[in-house]
Coordinates of all heavy atoms in Angstrom, one line a residue:
M1 N -0.1 5.4 19.0 CA -1.1 4.5 18.4 C -0.3 3.5 17.6 O 0.5 3.8 16.7 CB -2.1 5.3 17.5 CG -3.1 4.4 16.9 SD -4.3 5.5 16.1 CE -5.0 4.3 14.9
R2 N -0.6 2.2 17.8 CA 0.1 1.1 17.1 C -0.5 1.0 15.7 O -1.7 1.1 15.5 CB -0.1 -0.2 17.8 CG 0.4 -1.4 17.2 CD 1.7 -1.8 17.7 NE 2.1 -3.1 17.2 CZ 3.2 -3.3 16.5 NH1 4.0 -2.3 16.2 NH2 3.5 -4.4 16.0
S3 N 0.4 0.8 14.7 CA 0.0 0.7 13.3 C -0.6 -0.7 13.1 O -0.3 -1.7 13.8 CB 1.2 0.9 12.4 OG 1.7 2.1 12.5
R4 N -1.5 -0.8 12.1 CA -2.1 -2.0 11.7 C -1.1 -2.9 11.1 O -0.1 -2.5 10.6 CB -3.3 -1.8 10.8 CG -4.4 -1.1 11.4 CD -5.6 -1.1 10.4 NE -6.7 -0.4 11.0 CZ -7.7 -1.1 11.6 NH1 -7.6 -2.4 11.8 NH2 -8.7 -0.5 12.1
E5 N -1.3 -4.2 11.2 CA -0.3 -5.2 10.7 C -0.5 -5.4 9.2 O 0.4 -5.7 8.5 CB -0.5 -6.5 11.4 CG 0.0 -6.5 12.9 CD 1.4 -6.1 13.0 OE1 2.3 -6.6 12.3 OE2 1.7 -5.2 13.9
R6 N -1.8 -5.3 8.7 CA -2.0 -5.6 7.3 C -3.0 -4.6 6.7 O -3.9 -4.2 7.4 CB -2.6 -7.0 7.1 CG -1.6 -8.1 7.5 CD -2.0 -9.5 7.2 NE -3.4 -9.7 7.3 CZ -4.1 -10.6 6.6 NH1 -3.4 -11.4 5.7 NH2 -5.4 -10.8 6.7
Y7 N -2.8 -4.4 5.4 CA -3.8 -3.5 4.6 C -4.0 -4.2 3.3 O -3.1 -5.0 2.8 CB -3.2 -2.1 4.4 CG -3.3 -1.2 5.5 CD1 -2.3 -1.0 6.4 CD2 -4.4 -0.4 5.6 CE1 -2.3 -0.1 7.4 CE2 -4.5 0.6 6.6 CZ -3.5 0.7 7.5 OH -3.6 1.6 8.6
E8 N -5.1 -3.8 2.7 CA -5.3 -4.1 1.2 C -5.0 -2.8 0.5 O -5.6 -1.8 0.8 CB -6.7 -4.5 0.9 CG -7.1 -5.9 1.5 CD -8.6 -6.2 1.2 OE1 -9.4 -5.3 1.0 OE2 -8.9 -7.4 1.1
L9 N -4.1 -2.9 -0.5 CA -3.9 -1.7 -1.3 C -4.8 -1.9 -2.5 O -4.8 -2.9 -3.2 CB -2.4 -1.6 -1.8 CG -1.4 -1.3 -0.8 CD1 0.0 -1.2 -1.4 CD2 -1.7 0.0 -0.1
V10 N -5.6 -0.9 -2.8 CA -6.6 -0.9 -3.8 C -6.1 0.0 -5.0 O -6.0 1.2 -4.8 CB -8.0 -0.5 -3.3 CG1 -9.0 -0.6 -4.4 CG2 -8.4 -1.3 -2.1
F11 N -5.9 -0.6 -6.1 CA -5.4 0.2 -7.3 C -6.6 0.3 -8.3 O -7.2 -0.7 -8.6 CB -4.3 -0.6 -8.0 CG -3.0 -0.7 -7.1 CD1 -2.9 -1.7 -6.3 CD2 -2.1 0.3 -7.2 CE1 -1.8 -1.9 -5.5 CE2 -0.9 0.2 -6.4 CZ -0.8 -0.9 -5.6
V12 N -7.0 1.5 -8.6 CA -8.1 1.7 -9.6 C -7.5 2.3 -10.9 O -6.8 3.3 -10.9 CB -9.1 2.7 -8.9 CG1 -10.2 3.0 -9.9 CG2 -9.6 2.2 -7.6
D13 N -7.9 1.7 -12.0 CA -7.5 2.1 -13.3 C -8.7 2.9 -13.8 O -9.7 2.3 -14.3 CB -7.2 1.0 -14.2 CG -6.7 1.4 -15.6 OD1 -6.7 2.6 -15.9 OD2 -6.3 0.6 -16.4
T14 N -8.6 4.2 -13.9 CA -9.7 5.1 -14.3 C -9.9 5.0 -15.8 O -10.9 5.5 -16.3 CB -9.4 6.6 -13.9 OG1 -8.2 7.0 -14.4 CG2 -9.4 6.7 -12.4
T15 N -8.9 4.4 -16.5 CA -9.1 4.3 -18.0 C -9.6 2.9 -18.4 O -9.8 2.6 -19.6 CB -7.7 4.5 -18.7 OG1 -6.8 3.5 -18.3 CG2 -7.2 5.9 -18.4
A16 N -9.9 2.0 -17.5 CA -10.4 0.7 -17.8 C -11.8 0.7 -18.3 O -12.6 1.6 -17.9 CB -10.3 -0.2 -16.5
P17 N -12.2 -0.2 -19.1 CA -13.5 -0.3 -19.6 C -14.6 -0.4 -18.5 O -15.7 0.2 -18.6 CB -13.6 -1.5 -20.5 CG -12.2 -1.8 -20.8 CD -11.3 -1.3 -19.7
D18 N -14.3 -1.1 -17.5 CA -15.2 -1.3 -16.3 C -14.7 -0.2 -15.3 O -13.7 -0.4 -14.6 CB -15.1 -2.7 -15.8 CG -15.9 -2.9 -14.5 OD1 -16.7 -2.0 -14.2 OD2 -15.9 -4.0 -13.9
P19 N -15.5 0.8 -15.1 CA -15.1 1.9 -14.1 C -15.0 1.4 -12.7 O -14.3 2.1 -11.9 CB -16.2 3.0 -14.3 CG -17.3 2.3 -15.0 CD -16.8 1.1 -15.7
G20 N -15.5 0.3 -12.3 CA -15.4 -0.2 -11.0 C -14.3 -1.2 -10.8 O -14.1 -1.7 -9.7
A21 N -13.5 -1.4 -11.9 CA -12.5 -2.4 -11.8 C -11.4 -2.0 -10.8 O -10.9 -0.8 -10.9 CB -11.9 -2.7 -13.2
E22 N -10.9 -2.9 -10.0 CA -9.8 -2.6 -9.1 C -9.0 -3.8 -8.9 O -9.4 -4.9 -9.0 CB -10.3 -2.0 -7.8 CG -11.3 -2.9 -7.1 CD -11.9 -2.3 -5.8 OE1 -12.1 -1.1 -5.7 OE2 -12.1 -3.1 -4.8
D23 N -7.7 -3.6 -8.7 CA -6.7 -4.6 -8.3 C -6.4 -4.5 -6.9 O -6.2 -3.3 -6.4 CB -5.5 -4.5 -9.1 CG -5.7 -4.9 -10.6 OD1 -6.4 -5.9 -10.9 OD2 -5.1 -4.2 -11.5
V24 N -6.4 -5.6 -6.1 CA -6.2 -5.5 -4.7 C -4.9 -6.4 -4.4 O -4.8 -7.5 -4.8 CB -7.4 -6.0 -3.9 CG1 -7.1 -6.0 -2.4 CG2 -8.6 -5.2 -4.2
V25 N -4.0 -5.8 -3.6 CA -2.8 -6.5 -3.1 C -2.8 -6.3 -1.6 O -2.9 -5.2 -1.1 CB -1.5 -5.8 -3.7 CG1 -0.3 -6.5 -3.2 CG2 -1.6 -5.9 -5.2
V26 N -2.6 -7.5 -0.9 CA -2.5 -7.4 0.6 C -1.0 -7.2 0.9 O -0.1 -7.9 0.4 CB -3.0 -8.8 1.2 CG1 -2.8 -8.8 2.7 CG2 -4.5 -8.9 0.9
V27 N -0.8 -6.3 1.8 CA 0.6 -6.0 2.3 C 0.6 -6.1 3.8 O -0.4 -5.9 4.5 CB 1.0 -4.5 1.8 CG1 1.2 -4.5 0.3 CG2 0.0 -3.5 2.3
H28 N 1.8 -6.4 4.3 CA 2.0 -6.6 5.7 C 3.1 -5.6 6.2 O 4.0 -5.2 5.5 CB 2.3 -8.0 6.1 CG 3.5 -8.5 5.5 ND1 3.5 -9.1 4.2 CD2 4.8 -8.6 5.9 CE1 4.7 -9.5 3.9 NE2 5.6 -9.1 4.9
R29 N 3.0 -5.2 7.5 CA 3.9 -4.3 8.1 C 5.3 -4.8 8.2 O 5.5 -6.0 8.5 CB 3.4 -3.9 9.4 CG 4.1 -2.7 10.1 CD 3.4 -2.3 11.3 NE 4.0 -1.1 11.9 CZ 4.8 -1.1 13.0 NH1 4.9 -2.2 13.7 NH2 5.3 0.0 13.4
T30 N 6.3 -4.0 7.9 CA 7.7 -4.3 8.2 C 8.2 -3.5 9.3 O 7.5 -2.7 9.9 CB 8.6 -4.1 6.9 OG1 8.6 -2.6 6.7 CG2 8.0 -4.7 5.7
E31 N 9.5 -3.7 9.7 CA 10.1 -2.9 10.7 C 10.7 -1.6 10.2 O 11.1 -0.8 11.0 CB 11.2 -3.7 11.4 CG 10.7 -5.0 12.1 CD 9.8 -4.6 13.3 OE1 10.0 -3.7 14.0 OE2 8.8 -5.3 13.4
S32 N 10.6 -1.4 8.9 CA 11.2 -0.2 8.2 C 10.2 1.0 8.3 O 9.0 0.8 8.4 CB 11.5 -0.5 6.8 OG 12.4 -1.5 6.7
S33 N 10.7 2.2 8.2 CA 9.9 3.4 8.1 C 10.2 4.1 6.8 O 11.4 4.0 6.3 CB 10.3 4.4 9.3 OG 9.9 3.8 10.5
G34 N 9.2 4.7 6.2 CA 9.4 5.4 5.0 C 9.9 6.8 5.2 O 10.1 7.3 6.3
P35 N 10.0 7.6 4.1 CA 10.5 9.0 4.2 C 9.6 9.9 5.0 O 10.1 10.9 5.6 CB 10.5 9.5 2.7 CG 9.9 8.4 1.9 CD 9.7 7.2 2.7
G36 N 8.3 9.6 5.2 CA 7.5 10.4 6.0 C 7.4 9.9 7.5 O 6.7 10.5 8.3
G37 N 8.2 8.9 7.8 CA 8.3 8.4 9.2 C 7.3 7.3 9.5 O 7.2 6.9 10.7
H38 N 6.4 6.9 8.6 CA 5.4 5.9 8.8 C 5.9 4.6 8.4 O 6.8 4.4 7.6 CB 4.1 6.3 8.0 CG 3.6 7.7 8.3 ND1 3.0 8.0 9.5 CD2 3.6 8.8 7.6 CE1 2.6 9.2 9.5 NE2 3.0 9.8 8.4
P39 N 5.2 3.5 8.9 CA 5.7 2.1 8.6 C 5.6 1.8 7.1 O 4.7 2.3 6.4 CB 4.7 1.3 9.4 CG 4.1 2.1 10.4 CD 4.1 3.5 9.8
V40 N 6.5 1.0 6.7 CA 6.5 0.5 5.3 C 5.9 -0.9 5.3 O 6.2 -1.7 6.2 CB 8.0 0.4 4.7 CG1 8.0 -0.3 3.4 CG2 8.6 1.8 4.6
Y41 N 5.0 -1.1 4.3 CA 4.3 -2.3 4.1 C 4.7 -3.0 2.8 O 4.9 -2.2 1.8 CB 2.8 -2.1 4.1 CG 2.2 -1.7 5.5 CD1 2.4 -0.4 5.9 CD2 1.6 -2.6 6.3 CE1 1.9 0.0 7.2 CE2 1.1 -2.2 7.5 CZ 1.3 -0.9 8.0 OH 0.8 -0.5 9.2
V42 N 4.8 -4.3 2.7 CA 5.2 -5.0 1.5 C 4.3 -6.2 1.3 O 3.7 -6.7 2.2 CB 6.7 -5.5 1.5 CG1 7.6 -4.3 1.7 CG2 6.9 -6.5 2.6
D43 N 4.2 -6.6 0.0 CA 3.4 -7.8 -0.3 C 4.4 -9.0 -0.1 O 5.6 -8.8 0.2 CB 2.8 -7.7 -1.7 CG 3.9 -7.9 -2.8 OD1 5.0 -7.5 -2.6 OD2 3.5 -8.3 -3.9
D44 N 3.9 -10.2 -0.3 CA 4.7 -11.4 -0.1 C 5.9 -11.5 -1.1 O 6.8 -12.2 -0.8 CB 3.8 -12.7 -0.2 CG 2.9 -12.8 1.0 OD1 3.2 -12.2 2.1 OD2 1.9 -13.5 0.9
T45 N 5.8 -10.9 -2.2 CA 6.9 -10.9 -3.2 C 8.0 -9.9 -2.9 O 9.1 -10.0 -3.4 CB 6.4 -10.7 -4.6 OG1 6.0 -9.3 -4.8 CG2 5.3 -11.6 -5.0
G46 N 7.6 -8.9 -2.1 CA 8.5 -7.8 -1.8 C 8.6 -6.7 -2.9 O 9.3 -5.7 -2.8
I47 N 7.8 -6.9 -4.0 CA 7.8 -6.0 -5.1 C 6.9 -4.8 -4.8 O 7.3 -3.6 -5.1 CB 7.3 -6.7 -6.4 CG1 8.3 -7.7 -6.8 CG2 7.1 -5.7 -7.5 CD1 7.9 -8.6 -7.9
V48 N 5.8 -5.0 -4.2 CA 4.9 -3.9 -3.9 C 5.2 -3.4 -2.5 O 5.2 -4.1 -1.5 CB 3.4 -4.3 -4.0 CG1 2.5 -3.2 -3.5 CG2 3.0 -4.8 -5.3
R49 N 5.7 -2.1 -2.5 CA 6.1 -1.5 -1.2 C 5.3 -0.1 -1.1 O 5.3 0.6 -2.0 CB 7.6 -1.2 -1.2 CG 8.4 -2.5 -1.3 CD 9.9 -2.2 -1.4 NE 10.4 -1.4 -0.3 CZ 10.7 -1.8 0.9 NH1 10.6 -3.1 1.1 NH2 11.2 -1.0 1.8
A50 N 4.8 0.1 0.1 CA 4.1 1.4 0.4 C 4.3 1.8 1.8 O 4.3 1.0 2.7 CB 2.6 1.2 0.1
E51 N 4.4 3.1 2.0 CA 4.4 3.7 3.3 C 3.0 4.1 3.6 O 2.3 4.8 2.7 CB 5.3 5.0 3.3 CG 5.3 5.7 4.6 CD 6.1 7.0 4.6 OE1 6.5 7.4 3.6 OE2 6.3 7.5 5.7
I52 N 2.4 3.7 4.7 CA 1.0 4.0 5.0 C 0.9 4.7 6.4 O 1.4 4.1 7.4 CB 0.2 2.7 5.0 CG1 0.3 1.9 3.7 CG2 -1.3 3.0 5.3 CD1 -0.4 0.6 3.6
S53 N 0.3 5.8 6.4 CA 0.2 6.6 7.6 C -0.9 6.1 8.5 O -1.7 5.2 8.1 CB -0.1 8.1 7.3 OG -1.4 8.3 6.9
D54 N -1.0 6.6 9.7 CA -2.1 6.2 10.6 C -3.5 6.6 10.1 O -4.5 6.2 10.7 CB -1.8 6.7 12.0 CG -1.6 8.2 12.1 OD1 -1.5 8.8 11.0 OD2 -1.5 8.7 13.2
R55 N -3.5 7.5 9.1 CA -4.8 7.9 8.5 C -5.0 7.2 7.2 O -5.8 7.6 6.4 CB -4.8 9.4 8.3 CG -4.8 10.2 9.6 CD -4.9 11.6 9.5 NE -3.7 12.1 8.7 CZ -3.3 13.3 8.5 NH1 -4.1 14.3 8.9 NH2 -2.2 13.7 7.9
A56 N -4.3 6.1 6.9 CA -4.4 5.3 5.7 C -4.0 6.1 4.4 O -4.5 5.8 3.4 CB -5.7 4.7 5.6
E57 N -3.1 7.1 4.6 CA -2.6 7.8 3.4 C -1.4 6.9 2.8 O -0.6 6.4 3.6 CB -2.1 9.1 3.8 CG -3.1 10.0 4.3 CD -2.6 11.2 5.1 OE1 -1.6 11.1 5.8 OE2 -3.2 12.3 4.9
V58 N -1.4 6.7 1.5 CA -0.5 5.8 0.9 C 0.6 6.6 0.1 O 0.2 7.5 -0.7 CB -1.2 4.8 0.0 CG1 -0.2 3.9 -0.7 CG2 -2.3 4.1 0.7
R59 N 1.8 6.2 0.3 CA 2.9 6.7 -0.5 C 3.6 5.4 -1.1 O 4.3 4.7 -0.3 CB 3.9 7.5 0.3 CG 5.1 8.0 -0.5 CD 6.1 8.7 0.3 NE 5.5 9.8 1.0 CZ 6.2 10.7 1.7 NH1 7.5 10.6 1.8 NH2 5.6 11.7 2.3
M60 N 3.5 5.2 -2.4 CA 4.2 4.1 -3.0 C 5.7 4.3 -3.0 O 6.2 5.4 -3.2 CB 3.7 3.8 -4.4 CG 2.2 3.5 -4.5 SD 1.7 2.0 -3.5 CE 2.6 0.7 -4.3
I61 N 6.4 3.2 -2.8 CA 7.9 3.2 -2.8 C 8.4 2.2 -3.8 O 8.0 1.1 -3.8 CB 8.4 2.8 -1.4 CG1 7.9 3.7 -0.3 CG2 9.9 2.7 -1.4 CD1 8.2 3.3 1.1
A62 N 9.2 2.7 -4.7 CA 9.8 1.9 -5.8 C 10.7 0.8 -5.2 O 11.5 1.1 -4.3 CB 10.6 2.7 -6.8
S63 N 10.5 -0.4 -5.7 CA 11.4 -1.5 -5.2 C 12.4 -1.9 -6.3 O 13.2 -2.8 -6.1 CB 10.5 -2.7 -4.9 OG 9.8 -3.2 -6.0
G64 N 12.3 -1.2 -7.4 CA 13.3 -1.5 -8.5 C 13.2 -0.3 -9.5 O 12.4 0.6 -9.4
G65 N 14.1 -0.4 -10.5 CA 14.1 0.7 -11.5 C 13.0 0.7 -12.4 O 12.3 -0.4 -12.7
H66 N 12.6 1.8 -13.0 CA 11.6 2.0 -14.0 C 10.2 1.7 -13.6 O 9.3 1.4 -14.4 CB 12.0 1.2 -15.2 CG 13.3 1.5 -15.8 ND1 13.7 2.7 -16.3 CD2 14.5 0.7 -15.8 CE1 14.9 2.7 -16.7 NE2 15.5 1.5 -16.3
Q67 N 9.9 1.7 -12.3 CA 8.5 1.4 -11.8 C 7.7 2.7 -12.0 O 8.2 3.8 -11.7 CB 8.5 1.0 -10.4 CG 8.9 -0.4 -10.2 CD 8.7 -0.9 -8.7 OE1 8.8 0.0 -7.8 NE2 8.4 -2.1 -8.5
V68 N 6.5 2.6 -12.4 CA 5.5 3.7 -12.5 C 4.3 3.3 -11.7 O 3.7 2.3 -12.0 CB 5.2 4.0 -14.0 CG1 4.1 5.1 -14.0 CG2 6.4 4.3 -14.8
H69 N 4.0 4.0 -10.7 CA 2.9 3.6 -9.8 C 1.6 4.3 -10.2 O 1.6 5.4 -10.7 CB 3.2 4.0 -8.3 CG 4.5 3.3 -7.8 ND1 4.5 2.0 -7.6 CD2 5.7 3.8 -7.4 CE1 5.7 1.6 -7.2 NE2 6.4 2.7 -7.0
A70 N 0.5 3.6 -9.9 CA -0.8 4.1 -10.2 C -1.0 5.3 -9.4 O -0.6 5.4 -8.2 CB -1.8 3.0 -9.9
A71 N -1.7 6.3 -10.0 CA -2.1 7.5 -9.3 C -3.2 7.3 -8.3 O -3.2 7.9 -7.2 CB -2.5 8.6 -10.3
A72 N -4.1 6.4 -8.6 CA -5.2 6.2 -7.7 C -5.0 4.9 -6.9 O -5.3 3.8 -7.3 CB -6.5 6.1 -8.5
V73 N -4.5 5.0 -5.7 CA -4.3 3.9 -4.8 C -4.8 4.3 -3.4 O -4.5 5.4 -3.0 CB -2.8 3.4 -4.8 CG1 -1.9 4.5 -4.3 CG2 -2.7 2.2 -3.9
S74 N -5.5 3.4 -2.8 CA -6.0 3.6 -1.4 C -5.7 2.4 -0.6 O -5.4 1.3 -1.1 CB -7.4 4.0 -1.4 OG -8.2 2.9 -1.9
A75 N -5.8 2.6 0.7 CA -5.5 1.5 1.7 C -6.8 1.2 2.5 O -7.4 2.1 3.0 CB -4.4 1.8 2.6
R76 N -7.1 -0.1 2.6 CA -8.2 -0.6 3.5 C -7.6 -1.5 4.5 O -6.8 -2.4 4.2 CB -9.2 -1.4 2.7 CG -10.0 -0.6 1.7 CD -11.1 -1.5 1.1 NE -10.7 -2.6 0.3 CZ -11.2 -2.9 -0.9 NH1 -12.1 -2.2 -1.4 NH2 -10.7 -3.9 -1.5
P77 N -7.9 -1.3 5.8 CA -7.4 -2.1 6.9 C -7.9 -3.6 6.7 O -9.0 -3.8 6.3 CB -7.9 -1.5 8.2 CG -8.3 -0.2 7.8 CD -8.7 -0.2 6.3
V78 N -7.1 -4.6 7.0 CA -7.5 -6.0 7.0 C -7.6 -6.4 8.5 O -6.7 -6.2 9.3 CB -6.4 -6.8 6.2 CG1 -6.8 -8.3 6.3 CG2 -6.3 -6.4 4.8
S79 N -8.7 -7.0 8.8 CA -8.9 -7.5 10.2 C -8.0 -8.6 10.5 O -7.6 -9.4 9.8 CB -10.3 -7.9 10.4 OG -11.2 -6.9 10.1

């Protein structure tokens, strides 16, 4: 099964005053694979990197030192 070309990564801050608040970053597929063997997706800056499985499971990948990733992140396919 061919992987999708783009996803929206949805970051939810459970401590924010607005419980429905979310940050969304669009990422596109690269030719790289992550540690789980799934495609790596990046945003246009190259800072946000994530391995996304065919079941839309997300594993964030550090692109630099001292990054701390949000615990609540999900992926939505982009048409």
Side-chain angles (χ1 to χ4, degrees):
M1 181 173 157
R2 176 98 171 119
S3 299
R4 294 188 175 269
E5 292 300 314
R6 296 186 326 150
Y7 280 94
E8 290 179 334
L9 292 181
V10 182
F11 298 87
V12 178
D13 182 355
T14 56
T15 64
D18 178 6
E22 55 185 37
D23 290 318
V24 178
V25 177
V26 176
V27 293
H28 59 274
R29 187 172 188 252
T30 68
E31 295 299 318
S32 300
S33 295
H38 302 288
V40 171
Y41 292 77
V42 300
D43 72 336
D44 288 339
T45 67
I47 295 171
V48 177
R49 300 175 53 83
E51 177 182 11
I52 304 176
S53 75
D54 54 353
R55 295 182 296 187
E57 298 164 321
V58 180
R59 178 186 301 188
M60 297 303 298
I61 300 172
S63 62
H66 306 292
Q67 284 185 331
V68 178
H69 299 295
V73 61
S74 61
R76 292 189 294 227
V78 175
S79 301

